[in-house]
Amino acid sequence: LDGRLVCEAGDRNDMLRWSKVLQEFSLPGIIKGAGDEYARLGEIMATGLPLILPFNLPEAYDVEDPYDAQEVSYARMKHWELAPFNAAMVDSAAIPFAFTTNGHKDLASIWKELRKLVSCGLDSARAIEALTSEPARLFGLDDHYGALRAGMAANFLITSQHLLNEKNT
């Protein structure tokens, strides 16, 4: 138990439960969220724990047929609406976070979804940090990973335009 423990939360309430467990046993931890942290942001901020956020966004519900639309709860529709703003809200609350692709079904859509998070208020530089330098910092590996400096592992991309530009190659 030398490093930080990563606890996976099924929802925003699980985050608070994991926080109490980590606090009770005085363990350093990071909580992998479920993408609905916006709903209990104040309580999550009060835990002082860093987060790992998924950025796979929920797909739009088919509500064209009124009978099908009745099957979609208000809570699910509200989550579909607010999920793209989650990272921006967590960032504005000054909660340290990194992104994960864990559980992502279509890795080709990662850049599209990251652009959506930026269009919903997350700073583009902060979005790139959450994919690169922030994970290294959260796990105490920032002396070897997460930046382009002498003596560090060099992983980088060369792109034709800004990394999050739609026409980028």
Side-chain angles (χ1 to χ4, degrees), residues 121-157:
L122 182 62
D123 180 64
S124 63
R126 187 70 185 102
I128 294 168
E129 279 178 14
L131 279 174
T132 56
S133 58
E134 196 62 24
R137 191 188 68 70
L138 288 181
F139 287 99
L141 301 171
D142 52 338
D143 56 339
H144 295 296
Y145 300 98
L148 289 174
R149 285 189 221 118
M152 297 180 83
N155 296 301
F156 58 93
L157 295 172

Short mmCIF file of all heavy atoms in Angstrom, two decimals, residues 121-157:
data_model
loop_
_atom_site.label_atom_id
_atom_site.label_comp_id
_atom_site.label_asym_id
_atom_site.label_seq_id
_atom_site.Cartn_x
_atom_site.Cartn_y
_atom_site.Cartn_z
N GLY A 121 -17.22 24.07 -22.08
CA GLY A 121 -16.65 24.92 -21.04
C GLY A 121 -15.30 24.52 -20.49
O GLY A 121 -14.68 25.31 -19.78
N LEU A 122 -14.80 23.33 -20.78
CA LEU A 122 -13.48 22.94 -20.30
C LEU A 122 -12.41 23.60 -21.15
O LEU A 122 -12.49 23.57 -22.38
CB LEU A 122 -13.33 21.40 -20.35
CG LEU A 122 -12.02 20.83 -19.83
CD1 LEU A 122 -11.84 21.14 -18.35
CD2 LEU A 122 -11.98 19.33 -20.07
N ASP A 123 -11.44 24.21 -20.51
CA ASP A 123 -10.34 24.85 -21.23
C ASP A 123 -9.57 23.80 -22.03
O ASP A 123 -9.30 22.72 -21.51
CB ASP A 123 -9.43 25.54 -20.21
CG ASP A 123 -8.27 26.24 -20.88
OD1 ASP A 123 -8.51 27.19 -21.65
OD2 ASP A 123 -7.12 25.81 -20.63
N SER A 124 -9.22 24.11 -23.27
CA SER A 124 -8.54 23.12 -24.12
C SER A 124 -7.18 22.73 -23.56
O SER A 124 -6.79 21.56 -23.61
CB SER A 124 -8.41 23.62 -25.56
OG SER A 124 -7.61 24.78 -25.61
N ALA A 125 -6.45 23.68 -22.99
CA ALA A 125 -5.15 23.34 -22.39
C ALA A 125 -5.35 22.42 -21.19
O ALA A 125 -4.58 21.47 -20.99
CB ALA A 125 -4.42 24.61 -21.97
N ARG A 126 -6.37 22.67 -20.42
CA ARG A 126 -6.67 21.83 -19.26
C ARG A 126 -7.09 20.42 -19.69
O ARG A 126 -6.76 19.43 -19.06
CB ARG A 126 -7.77 22.50 -18.43
CG ARG A 126 -8.05 21.83 -17.14
CD ARG A 126 -6.91 22.00 -16.14
NE ARG A 126 -7.20 21.23 -14.97
CZ ARG A 126 -6.66 20.04 -14.68
NH1 ARG A 126 -5.76 19.52 -15.46
NH2 ARG A 126 -7.01 19.40 -13.61
N ALA A 127 -7.83 20.33 -20.80
CA ALA A 127 -8.24 19.03 -21.33
C ALA A 127 -7.03 18.20 -21.74
O ALA A 127 -6.96 17.01 -21.44
CB ALA A 127 -9.18 19.22 -22.52
N ILE A 128 -6.07 18.84 -22.38
CA ILE A 128 -4.85 18.13 -22.80
C ILE A 128 -4.01 17.74 -21.59
O ILE A 128 -3.47 16.64 -21.53
CB ILE A 128 -4.07 18.98 -23.82
CG1 ILE A 128 -4.90 19.11 -25.10
CG2 ILE A 128 -2.70 18.37 -24.11
CD1 ILE A 128 -4.39 20.14 -26.08
N GLU A 129 -3.93 18.61 -20.59
CA GLU A 129 -3.23 18.29 -19.34
C GLU A 129 -3.85 17.07 -18.67
O GLU A 129 -3.15 16.23 -18.12
CB GLU A 129 -3.29 19.45 -18.36
CG GLU A 129 -2.31 20.54 -18.60
CD GLU A 129 -2.49 21.67 -17.58
OE1 GLU A 129 -3.18 21.48 -16.55
OE2 GLU A 129 -1.95 22.75 -17.83
N ALA A 130 -5.18 17.00 -18.69
CA ALA A 130 -5.88 15.89 -18.03
C ALA A 130 -5.62 14.55 -18.71
O ALA A 130 -5.83 13.51 -18.12
CB ALA A 130 -7.38 16.18 -17.98
N LEU A 131 -5.14 14.59 -19.93
CA LEU A 131 -4.77 13.37 -20.65
C LEU A 131 -3.28 13.06 -20.54
O LEU A 131 -2.88 11.92 -20.75
CB LEU A 131 -5.09 13.51 -22.14
CG LEU A 131 -6.52 13.28 -22.56
CD1 LEU A 131 -6.68 13.60 -24.04
CD2 LEU A 131 -6.94 11.85 -22.29
N THR A 132 -2.46 14.04 -20.23
CA THR A 132 -1.01 13.86 -20.32
C THR A 132 -0.31 14.03 -18.97
O THR A 132 0.03 13.06 -18.33
CB THR A 132 -0.42 14.84 -21.35
OG1 THR A 132 -0.78 16.18 -20.98
CG2 THR A 132 -0.92 14.54 -22.75
N SER A 133 -0.10 15.25 -18.57
CA SER A 133 0.71 15.50 -17.37
C SER A 133 -0.02 15.22 -16.06
O SER A 133 0.60 14.81 -15.08
CB SER A 133 1.24 16.94 -17.38
OG SER A 133 0.18 17.85 -17.45
N GLU A 134 -1.32 15.42 -16.02
CA GLU A 134 -2.05 15.24 -14.77
C GLU A 134 -2.07 13.78 -14.29
O GLU A 134 -1.87 13.53 -13.10
CB GLU A 134 -3.48 15.78 -14.90
CG GLU A 134 -4.19 15.98 -13.60
CD GLU A 134 -3.53 16.99 -12.66
OE1 GLU A 134 -2.79 17.87 -13.12
OE2 GLU A 134 -3.75 16.88 -11.44
N PRO A 135 -2.28 12.78 -15.17
CA PRO A 135 -2.21 11.39 -14.68
C PRO A 135 -0.83 11.07 -14.07
O PRO A 135 -0.75 10.41 -13.04
CB PRO A 135 -2.47 10.55 -15.93
CG PRO A 135 -3.19 11.45 -16.85
CD PRO A 135 -2.68 12.82 -16.56
N ALA A 136 0.22 11.54 -14.71
CA ALA A 136 1.57 11.30 -14.17
C ALA A 136 1.73 11.94 -12.80
O ALA A 136 2.28 11.34 -11.87
CB ALA A 136 2.62 11.84 -15.14
N ARG A 137 1.21 13.16 -12.63
CA ARG A 137 1.31 13.85 -11.35
C ARG A 137 0.50 13.15 -10.27
O ARG A 137 0.97 12.95 -9.15
CB ARG A 137 0.84 15.30 -11.50
CG ARG A 137 1.18 16.15 -10.27
CD ARG A 137 0.55 17.53 -10.32
NE ARG A 137 -0.89 17.50 -10.22
CZ ARG A 137 -1.58 17.18 -9.11
NH1 ARG A 137 -0.96 16.84 -8.01
NH2 ARG A 137 -2.90 17.19 -9.10
N LEU A 138 -0.71 12.72 -10.59
CA LEU A 138 -1.56 12.06 -9.60
C LEU A 138 -0.94 10.78 -9.05
O LEU A 138 -1.15 10.43 -7.90
CB LEU A 138 -2.93 11.73 -10.21
CG LEU A 138 -3.87 12.90 -10.46
CD1 LEU A 138 -5.19 12.41 -11.04
CD2 LEU A 138 -4.11 13.70 -9.20
N PHE A 139 -0.17 10.09 -9.89
CA PHE A 139 0.45 8.85 -9.44
C PHE A 139 1.90 9.02 -9.03
O PHE A 139 2.61 8.04 -8.80
CB PHE A 139 0.32 7.78 -10.53
CG PHE A 139 -1.08 7.26 -10.65
CD1 PHE A 139 -1.93 7.74 -11.63
CD2 PHE A 139 -1.57 6.32 -9.76
CE1 PHE A 139 -3.23 7.28 -11.73
CE2 PHE A 139 -2.87 5.86 -9.85
CZ PHE A 139 -3.71 6.34 -10.84
N GLY A 140 2.37 10.27 -8.93
CA GLY A 140 3.73 10.52 -8.48
C GLY A 140 4.79 10.13 -9.48
O GLY A 140 5.93 9.87 -9.11
N LEU A 141 4.45 10.11 -10.76
CA LEU A 141 5.38 9.73 -11.81
C LEU A 141 5.80 10.92 -12.67
O LEU A 141 6.40 10.74 -13.73
CB LEU A 141 4.75 8.65 -12.71
CG LEU A 141 4.32 7.38 -12.01
CD1 LEU A 141 3.52 6.50 -12.95
CD2 LEU A 141 5.53 6.64 -11.47
N ASP A 142 5.50 12.12 -12.21
CA ASP A 142 5.75 13.31 -13.03
C ASP A 142 7.23 13.65 -13.16
O ASP A 142 7.58 14.55 -13.93
CB ASP A 142 4.96 14.51 -12.53
CG ASP A 142 5.13 14.78 -11.05
OD1 ASP A 142 5.50 13.84 -10.32
OD2 ASP A 142 4.88 15.91 -10.63
N ASP A 143 8.11 12.93 -12.47
CA ASP A 143 9.55 13.15 -12.70
C ASP A 143 10.05 12.34 -13.88
O ASP A 143 11.17 12.55 -14.34
CB ASP A 143 10.34 12.81 -11.43
CG ASP A 143 10.10 11.40 -10.93
OD1 ASP A 143 9.06 10.81 -11.29
OD2 ASP A 143 10.93 10.89 -10.15
N HIS A 144 9.23 11.42 -14.42
CA HIS A 144 9.62 10.61 -15.58
C HIS A 144 8.66 10.71 -16.75
O HIS A 144 9.03 10.42 -17.88
CB HIS A 144 9.71 9.13 -15.19
CG HIS A 144 10.80 8.83 -14.20
ND1 HIS A 144 12.12 9.00 -14.48
CD2 HIS A 144 10.72 8.38 -12.93
CE1 HIS A 144 12.83 8.67 -13.41
NE2 HIS A 144 12.01 8.29 -12.45
N TYR A 145 7.40 11.07 -16.49
CA TYR A 145 6.36 11.08 -17.53
C TYR A 145 5.55 12.37 -17.48
O TYR A 145 5.53 13.07 -16.48
CB TYR A 145 5.39 9.90 -17.32
CG TYR A 145 6.06 8.56 -17.38
CD1 TYR A 145 6.42 7.89 -16.21
CD2 TYR A 145 6.34 7.96 -18.59
CE1 TYR A 145 7.04 6.66 -16.25
CE2 TYR A 145 6.96 6.72 -18.65
CZ TYR A 145 7.31 6.08 -17.48
OH TYR A 145 7.92 4.87 -17.53
N GLY A 146 4.85 12.63 -18.58
CA GLY A 146 3.89 13.73 -18.59
C GLY A 146 4.38 15.04 -19.16
O GLY A 146 3.62 15.98 -19.27
N ALA A 147 5.65 15.13 -19.53
CA ALA A 147 6.18 16.37 -20.11
C ALA A 147 7.35 16.03 -21.03
O ALA A 147 7.92 14.95 -20.93
CB ALA A 147 6.63 17.34 -19.02
N LEU A 148 7.68 16.95 -21.89
CA LEU A 148 8.84 16.78 -22.76
C LEU A 148 10.01 17.57 -22.17
O LEU A 148 10.12 18.77 -22.36
CB LEU A 148 8.54 17.26 -24.19
CG LEU A 148 7.59 16.38 -24.98
CD1 LEU A 148 7.25 17.03 -26.31
CD2 LEU A 148 8.19 15.01 -25.19
N ARG A 149 10.82 16.86 -21.40
CA ARG A 149 12.01 17.47 -20.80
C ARG A 149 13.14 16.46 -20.85
O ARG A 149 12.92 15.26 -20.98
CB ARG A 149 11.75 17.83 -19.34
CG ARG A 149 10.89 19.04 -19.17
CD ARG A 149 10.84 19.49 -17.70
NE ARG A 149 9.48 19.87 -17.42
CZ ARG A 149 8.69 19.31 -16.54
NH1 ARG A 149 9.11 18.32 -15.79
NH2 ARG A 149 7.47 19.72 -16.37
N ALA A 150 14.36 16.95 -20.70
CA ALA A 150 15.53 16.07 -20.70
C ALA A 150 15.41 15.04 -19.59
O ALA A 150 15.02 15.36 -18.46
CB ALA A 150 16.80 16.89 -20.51
N GLY A 151 15.70 13.79 -19.91
CA GLY A 151 15.69 12.71 -18.95
C GLY A 151 14.33 12.07 -18.72
O GLY A 151 14.20 11.15 -17.92
N MET A 152 13.30 12.54 -19.42
CA MET A 152 11.96 11.98 -19.25
C MET A 152 11.61 11.10 -20.45
O MET A 152 12.18 11.27 -21.53
CB MET A 152 10.93 13.10 -19.10
CG MET A 152 11.16 13.95 -17.86
SD MET A 152 9.96 15.25 -17.66
CE MET A 152 8.65 14.35 -16.89
N ALA A 153 10.68 10.17 -20.24
CA ALA A 153 10.19 9.34 -21.34
C ALA A 153 9.49 10.26 -22.35
O ALA A 153 8.66 11.07 -21.96
CB ALA A 153 9.24 8.29 -20.82
N ALA A 154 9.84 10.13 -23.60
CA ALA A 154 9.30 11.03 -24.62
C ALA A 154 8.18 10.35 -25.40
O ALA A 154 8.41 9.49 -26.24
CB ALA A 154 10.40 11.48 -25.56
N ASN A 155 6.97 10.72 -25.11
CA ASN A 155 5.80 10.29 -25.86
C ASN A 155 5.11 11.55 -26.35
O ASN A 155 4.70 12.38 -25.54
CB ASN A 155 4.82 9.50 -24.96
CG ASN A 155 5.45 8.23 -24.46
OD1 ASN A 155 5.84 7.39 -25.26
ND2 ASN A 155 5.54 8.08 -23.16
N PHE A 156 5.01 11.70 -27.67
CA PHE A 156 4.41 12.93 -28.17
C PHE A 156 3.76 12.68 -29.52
O PHE A 156 4.00 11.67 -30.16
CB PHE A 156 5.44 14.07 -28.26
CG PHE A 156 6.63 13.77 -29.14
CD1 PHE A 156 6.64 14.14 -30.47
CD2 PHE A 156 7.73 13.12 -28.61
CE1 PHE A 156 7.73 13.86 -31.26
CE2 PHE A 156 8.82 12.84 -29.40
CZ PHE A 156 8.83 13.22 -30.73
N LEU A 157 2.94 13.63 -29.93
CA LEU A 157 2.25 13.60 -31.22
C LEU A 157 2.69 14.81 -32.03
O LEU A 157 2.91 15.88 -31.48
CB LEU A 157 0.73 13.71 -31.03
CG LEU A 157 0.01 12.60 -30.31
CD1 LEU A 157 -1.43 13.01 -30.05
CD2 LEU A 157 0.06 11.33 -31.11
#
